Amino acid sequence: MTMGFPIDRPRRLRSSQTIRNLVREYRLHPSQLILPLFITFGKNKKEPISSMPGVFRYSVDRLSPVIEEAKKVGVSSFILFGIPETKDLEATQALNPEGPVPTAVRFLKENFPDTTVMTDICIDEYTSHGHCGFLSSGNRIDNDSTLGCLASMSLVHARAGADVVAPSDMMDGRVAAIRSALDKEGFIDTLIMSYAVKYASSFYGPFRDAMMSGPQFGDRTSYQMDPANRTEAMREARLDVEEGADILMVKPALPYLDILREVKNAVDLPMCAYQVSGEYSTLVAAGQNGWIDLDRAILESLLCIHRAGASTIITYFAIRAAELLLKGE
Ligand code: PBG
């Protein structure tokens, strides 16, 4: 062994908190976080969701406190999901301007004008069969007849004042259909954040509980992506860029960080990642059992999603994470 071995000592850069802070490559800020909100029909409702402890379904008249809580810690972006009173084959309620989501959008833009309001565009919460597209013969999911409905739904949300529409249906061509419908009505500044790369994932389980939106037959594998595929992610991302998306999303987040980084390197758009319901609930459950330190796991998971390429993250932990970030943990 020669004198001075080892020559290279990476640990020097870890020797104190101030040095570690100095050389830190990525930092999260509360303004990067998007809080999902489940908006239900009716009045005076704040319903717990058993598979998502700490998450609730709100009726519009009960929304204010959670928005105020979020804003207090610097979270100003929200993505809304609707639970309609009735479901049918035509997803009629998806186009109702008085439905939970458009009503909530108007409420938020009126009472909290300095927020960014995003809406999920997909008909699975509105169809009686729970699929993200209309059915054709043999119960196949019909791509092209669904596009008009997604475009109309986007218009309903844009007219209510949504800043961003976020199609999550995975039909081919929907970004182009939505962009052209928005532009035709003069909504040239309404952004499209496309769930460009959305995998058919078991991690959506708790969300379907929350929204009562699971498919009544079959599964989503004919439209959502196969977790085994990487090249297909690049193709989906390229198509959505070409069709006019403003922000691309990869979903779920943690099991797909390689995909997130690869898409990030290939496009010149901001990337979003969705830390989905199953990611939330597994961390919460482990925390409740005392198996992990939940607060640290929240910050670590979000930081790693950011490092992998997401400039913005949808997470049910948004408020808790922002509190922790402000405390400087
Ligand atoms: C579809 C939609 C889903 C999620 C967001 N948008 C469910 C699905 O595709 O089955 C999942 C979000 C989550 O799990 O947190 N409207």
Side-chain angles (χ1 to χ4, degrees), residues 105-174:
V105 172
R106 283 191 297 272
F107 174 82
L108 291 176
K109 293 315 287 187
E110 227 162 80
N111 296 285
F112 303 93
D114 51 346
T115 53
T116 297
V117 178
M118 313 182 166
T119 61
D120 185 77
I121 301 294
C122 186
I123 60 173
D124 64 323
E125 292 119 42
Y126 300 90
T127 52
S128 39
H129 47 72
H131 277 290
C132 304
F134 290 140
L135 301 185
S136 61
S137 60
N139 278 350
R140 296 177 71 82
I141 308 304
D142 188 46
N143 193 85
D144 297 9
S145 69
T146 307
L147 297 181
C149 182
L150 296 167
S152 304
M153 186 176 178
S154 302
L155 274 176
V156 170
H157 294 180
R159 287 183 203 127
D163 302 294
V164 182
V165 292
S168 68
D169 51 282
M170 290 303 280
M171 297 300 117
D172 295 332
R174 91 276 208 206

Side-chain angles (χ1 to χ4, degrees), residues 38 52 81 120-125 132 168-169 195 198 203-208 213 215 220 224 251 274-278 316:
F38 301 143
M52 299 181 75
F81 298 86
D120 185 77
I121 301 294
C122 186
I123 60 173
D124 64 323
E125 292 119 42
C132 304
S168 68
D169 51 282
Y195 291 66
K198 178 173 176 178
F203 287 92
Y204 308 149
F207 174 94
R208 292 176 190 170
S213 65
R220 302 210 198 289
Q224 299 181 350
K251 178 188 173 191
Y274 196 149
Q275 183 178 51
V276 300
S277 56
Y316 302 95

Side-chain angles (χ1 to χ4, degrees), residues 27 42 76 83 90 98 114 122 140 159 167 172 181 192 198-199 201 223 232-233 279 302 308 315:
R27 281 189 172 78
S76 304
I83 298 133
E90 291 80 35
E98 306 305 322
D114 51 346
C122 186
R140 296 177 71 82
R159 287 183 203 127
D172 295 332
I192 299 178
K198 178 173 176 178
Y199 286 93
S201 172
Y223 42 102
E232 192 184 2
E279 296 179 74
L302 293 173
T315 172

Side-chain angles (χ1 to χ4, degrees), residues 241 245 307:
V241 172
R307 190 202 59 226

